[in-house]
């Protein structure tokens, strides 16, 4: 009887469609662009095209059509799910040692700044693919808000100024970048309007000609010419050969919550499932807070070790996905955790840990049919390579820095590894981007965040909030801590650990390292299917906008 009731309840939940649509993104203009396209008859996939392209215009520090990303899609009518992989590829002229000097040492900054740091962009191809395969509207409609924002301009805010602050010296070195994104060669004042007419024309070319508007013809010629002038190595063959790929998302389960997340070349889904599998053997809710944090940190440490050892582009390396996501494998990892002592990372088999870039962006969309998108997009460091191909408005990524510039060589600790993520022509660099769905019979979450190598642990902490029945506002605002195997320290926001908890963690053998500032910019949606209430929340650390709308 109880079972039957549960089944009916669950079936009713499945039949419901959301009472409103919801969008959470890192910029109010991008959130408005998504709602505009939904109001024009589009679905969540059209809205995702609009939000992605508009973020490329109004949040140029985080993502852009010169970059790439992962779009996790769920189509309601048949429960079809896929991950659209629009990750950048290494140029065909790239090679394993391209960032090393004659002595084999890494040349500082070469994979970070300038045209040589740029992979072949995937975002334009991904937007065309999503619009044509999953959307309802022509690109001329879904790209219209982005084209308008590029032509009319957007107002600089404090966050933009802060991100310029990180990259000012490099931005000043490229006159095209400085002209577009600075004012009198300095960080523009709050309220200054940034107009991007060249980018508007490039977006209009994509709207009219689809992928050919970017990967061939006038725009492609200017991209290649600009890249070569900037010391880069792109060719027309690179642009012709770029392909969007669809990949099976990574799936797992934690205490009845179904997890769907990013597949390689993102490390996010596998690392998340490994951590959840480890944690499912502990009763976290029965632990005191310091023990709970210790236990979560030990799960993070082990998953990040495996990330560095095994993960890379699945089209180039064999990834033991089944093993890494299997509960039996997690049993072994869990058995090595001691509740009374931290495991030194040096006591686990060692590998070099490369860190992913700090910027990037995430947005979440739910439409009233129940279609949904979680998308994390990047040009890597703030303002990417700080290089704009003249006449295109396209700010290039520095995603090549997500490769291991020097795998196999002993690092300062005498550790070797990261071979799986070595540079090779046409290969996609390993990412941490983790767009994620969490689902129970009566609740659904869509979430993700920027934040480089800390992305995965932020999504883990957000998901644990979901597991504890907290609100979406709680997940995006909760203070954060992180461990990534190396460096062997718990990184934490000041509010994440009390003085007593810090002392207790230190007594367990952990090293603590407070982050200088808060990190992440989570954008989340929560649908309570039972009462059809929908929450949308944008991280208070950023200035994004999350809202719901009845179309
Ligand atoms: N560039 C950040 C990432 O892909 O993880």
């Amino acid at each position: 009887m109880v079972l039957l009731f549960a089944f009916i309840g669950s079936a009713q939940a499945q039949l419901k469609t959301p009472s409103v649509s919801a969008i959470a993104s890192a910029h109010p203009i991008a959130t408005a662009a998504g709602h505009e396209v939904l109001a024009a008859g589009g679905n969540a996939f059209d809205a995702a095209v609009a939000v992605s392209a508009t973020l490329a215009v109004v949040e140029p520090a985080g993502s852009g059509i010169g970059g790439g990303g992962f779009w996790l899609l769920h189509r309601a009518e048949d429960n079809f799910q896929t991950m659209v992989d629009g990750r950048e590829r290494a140029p065909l002229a790239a090679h394993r040692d391209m960032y090393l000097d004659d002595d084999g040492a890494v040349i500082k900054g070469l994979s970070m700044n300038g045209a040589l740091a740029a992979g072949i962009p995937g975002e334009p191809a991904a937007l065309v693919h999503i619009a044509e395969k999953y959307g309802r509207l022509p690109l001329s409609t879904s790209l219209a808000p982005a084209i308008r924002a590029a032509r009319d301009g957007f107002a600089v805010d404090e966050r933009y100024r802060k991100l310029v602050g990180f990259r000012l010296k490099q931005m000043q070195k490229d006159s095209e970048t400085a002209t577009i994104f600075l004012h009198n060669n300095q960080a523009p004042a709050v309220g200054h309007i940034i107009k991007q007419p060249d980018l508007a024309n490039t977006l209009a070319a994509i709207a009219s000609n689809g992928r050919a508007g970017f990967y061939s013809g006038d725009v492609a010629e200017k991209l290649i010419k600009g890249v070569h002038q900037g010391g880069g190595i792109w060719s027309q063959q690179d642009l012709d050969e770029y392909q969007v790929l669809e990949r099976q998302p990574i799936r797992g389960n934690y205490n009845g919550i179904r997890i769907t997340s990013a597949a390689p070349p993102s490390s996010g889904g596998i690392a998340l499932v490994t951590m959840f599998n480890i944690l499912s053997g502990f009763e976290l809710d029965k632990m005191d807070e310091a023990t709970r944090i210790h236990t979560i940190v030990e799960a993070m440490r082990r998953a990040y070790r495996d990330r560095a050892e095994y993960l890379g582009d699945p089209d180039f390396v064999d990834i033991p996905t089944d093993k890494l996501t299997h509960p039996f494998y997690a049993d072994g990892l869990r058995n090595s955790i001691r509740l009374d002592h931290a495991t030194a990372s040096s006591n686990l088999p060692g590998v070099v840990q490369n860190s992913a870039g700090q910027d990037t962006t995430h947005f979440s969309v739910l439409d009233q049919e129940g279609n949904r998108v979680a998308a994390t997009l990047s040009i890597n460091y703030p303002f990417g390579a700080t290089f704009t191909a003249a006449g295109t408005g396209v700010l290039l990524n520095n995603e090549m820095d997500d490769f291991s510039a020097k795998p196999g060589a002993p690092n300062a600790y005498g550790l070797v590894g990261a071979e799986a993520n070595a540079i090779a022509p046409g290969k996609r660099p390993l990412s941490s981007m983790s767009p994620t769905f969490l689902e129970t019979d009566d609740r659904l979450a869509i979430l993700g965040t920027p934040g480089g190598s800390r992305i995965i642990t932020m999504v883990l902490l957000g998901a644990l909030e979901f597991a504890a029945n907290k609100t979406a506002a709680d997940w995006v605002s909760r203070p954060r801590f992180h461990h990534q195997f190396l460096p062997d320290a718990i990184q934490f926001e000041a509010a994440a650990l009390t003085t007593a908890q810090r002392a207790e963690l230190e007594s367990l053998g952990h090293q603590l390292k407070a982050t200088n500032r808060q990190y992440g910019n989570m954008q989340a949606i929560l649908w309570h299917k039972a009462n059809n209430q929908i929450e949308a929340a944008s991280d208070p650390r950023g200035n994004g906008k999350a809202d719901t709308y009845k179309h």
Side-chain angles (χ1 to χ4, degrees):
M1 186 61 195
V2 172
L3 271 180
L4 181 64
F5 180 75
F7 174 74
I8 292 169
S10 143
Q12 279 173 344
Q14 298 302 328
L15 287 175
K16 270 193 186 151
T17 51
S19 52
V20 289
S21 62
I23 301 178
S25 92
H27 201 288
I29 296 177
T31 299
H35 282 302
E36 177 181 325
V37 162
L38 289 177
N43 58 17
F45 313 121
D46 296 302
V49 172
V51 176
S52 305
T54 306
L55 285 170
V57 176
V58 301
E59 200 202 21
S63 70
I65 59 168
F70 303 117
W71 290 256
L72 189 62
L73 313 184
H74 171 95
R75 188 170 56 202
E77 66 185 24
D78 55 359
N79 287 328
F80 171 77
Q81 294 185 328
T82 189
M83 184 187 90
V84 174
D85 171 357
R87 182 70 163 164
E88 298 88 334
R89 269 172 47 134
L92 294 168
H95 59 93
R96 181 188 163 99
D97 297 336
M98 64 188 279
Y99 299 119
L100 305 185
D101 65 17
D102 290 345
D103 297 327
V106 176
I107 303 170
K108 208 164 175 286
L110 208 56
S111 62
M112 287 272 297
N113 306 313
L116 193 61
I120 305 304
E123 178 161 331
L127 298 188
V128 173
H129 179 86
I130 293 167
E132 289 178 350
K133 189 160 176 195
Y134 297 104
R136 258 179 219 147
L137 299 178
L139 279 165
S140 55
T141 305
S142 51
L143 293 182
I147 295 169
R148 197 172 63 229
R151 291 228 161 93
D152 296 350
F154 71 94
V156 166
D157 55 25
E158 268 308 338
R159 185 160 176 271
Y160 181 98
R161 276 179 58 78
K162 196 178 84 185
L163 291 168
V164 168
F166 286 126
R167 302 288 273 148
L168 182 61
K169 278 208 181 91
Q170 291 302 330
M171 294 174 83
Q172 288 167 335
K173 287 185 185 163
D174 176 43
S175 62
E176 192 82 4
T177 300
T179 304
I180 299 169
F181 299 107
L182 303 180
H183 183 55
N184 295 331
N185 224 24
Q186 298 299 325
V190 169
H192 175 82
I193 303 296
I194 305 266
K195 293 188 180 178
Q196 301 171 80
D198 286 341
L199 181 59
N201 290 340
T202 299
L203 287 166
I206 299 170
S208 306
N209 302 320
R211 76 167 272 156
F214 185 90
Y215 294 90
S216 47
D218 186 45
V219 170
E221 271 171 38
K222 287 180 181 159
L223 286 171
I224 293 167
K225 187 170 165 210
V227 163
H228 282 192
Q229 281 170 350
I233 51 174
W234 293 10
S235 66
Q236 183 58 51
Q237 192 185 348
D238 279 312
L239 298 179
D240 290 342
E241 283 189 8
Y242 184 85
Q243 288 298 334
V244 174
L245 298 168
E246 290 206 18
R247 303 196 189 266
Q248 270 292 322
I250 297 294
R251 294 198 167 80
N253 203 295
Y254 174 70
N255 293 352
I257 298 169
R258 297 184 291 281
I259 303 150
T260 308
S261 191
S266 173
S267 54
I270 290 179
L272 267 176
V273 170
T274 303
M275 291 188 287
F276 275 122
N277 284 344
I278 294 172
L279 294 176
S280 61
F282 294 103
E283 292 189 287
L284 291 179
D285 51 348
K286 301 223 165 83
M287 291 175 170
D288 65 79
E289 190 56 15
T291 309
R292 185 173 178 273
I293 293 168
H294 163 73
T295 308
I296 295 169
V297 161
E298 291 302 321
M300 291 174 176
R301 182 196 308 277
R302 284 156 177 79
Y304 272 74
R305 195 214 76 86
D306 284 354
R307 173 195 192 275
E309 170 84 12
Y310 296 111
L311 300 190
D313 182 343
D315 297 330
F316 284 71
V317 291
D318 284 332
I319 299 177
T321 304
D322 290 345
K323 168 182 137 174
L324 296 175
T325 56
H326 200 287
F328 290 168
Y329 177 68
D331 289 347
L333 296 178
R334 190 184 317 109
N335 287 340
S336 71
I337 294 177
R338 287 179 53 180
L339 289 185
D340 63 347
H341 209 280
T343 308
S345 290
S346 56
N347 285 343
L348 296 175
V351 281
V352 175
Q353 187 76 38
N354 72 317
S355 62
Q358 297 301 310
D359 213 55
T360 302
T361 197
H362 176 86
F363 69 86
S364 298
V365 182
L366 176 69
D367 72 17
Q368 280 183 251
E369 293 162 42
N371 299 309
R372 54 195 199 240
V373 179
T376 313
L377 318 176
S378 183
I379 54 169
N380 204 21
Y381 277 71
F383 295 95
T386 63
F387 182 90
T388 306
T392 65
V394 177
L395 182 60
L396 303 186
N397 69 83
N398 60 357
E399 223 74 62
M400 292 294 285
D401 194 65
D402 276 352
F403 281 116
S404 304
K406 195 181 176 186
N411 73 350
Y413 307 93
L415 305 171
V416 292
E419 196 59 49
N421 191 30
I423 303 171
K427 189 174 175 184
R428 284 152 146 93
L430 183 62
S431 172
S432 298
M433 294 190 285
S434 312
T436 297
F437 303 141
L438 305 169
E439 196 159 9
T440 61
D441 284 345
D442 58 0
R443 288 184 306 147
L444 164 75
I446 309 170
L447 75 163
T449 178
S453 54
R454 297 179 186 140
I455 289 174
I456 309 168
T457 58
M458 285 188 262
V459 173
L460 174 77
L461 296 180
L464 289 171
E465 299 282 290
F466 173 86
N469 259 315
K470 302 270 183 63
T471 66
D474 290 331
W475 323 336
V476 301
S477 58
R478 77 130 19 250
R480 293 169 176 146
F481 59 89
H482 169 79
H483 197 293
Q484 59 176 45
F485 178 64
L486 290 175
D488 189 351
I490 301 176
Q491 302 169 34
F492 64 100
E493 292 181 330
L497 305 178
T498 63
T499 309
Q501 286 162 358
R502 290 178 206 188
E504 187 146 350
L505 288 164
E506 280 173 338
S507 78
L508 290 172
H510 289 286
Q511 298 204 38
L512 301 183
K513 189 170 183 301
T515 55
N516 292 336
R517 54 184 78 85
Q518 296 180 310
Y519 61 89
N521 195 7
M522 186 171 278
Q523 311 295 329
I525 293 171
L526 171 59
W527 177 19
H528 301 270
K529 294 186 196 170
N531 62 8
N532 217 345
Q533 294 297 304
I534 291 164
E535 301 172 28
S538 182
D539 199 318
R541 296 164 184 81
N543 55 1
K545 173 96 173 157
D547 61 16
T548 58
Y549 200 85
K550 198 164 178 63
H551 292 289

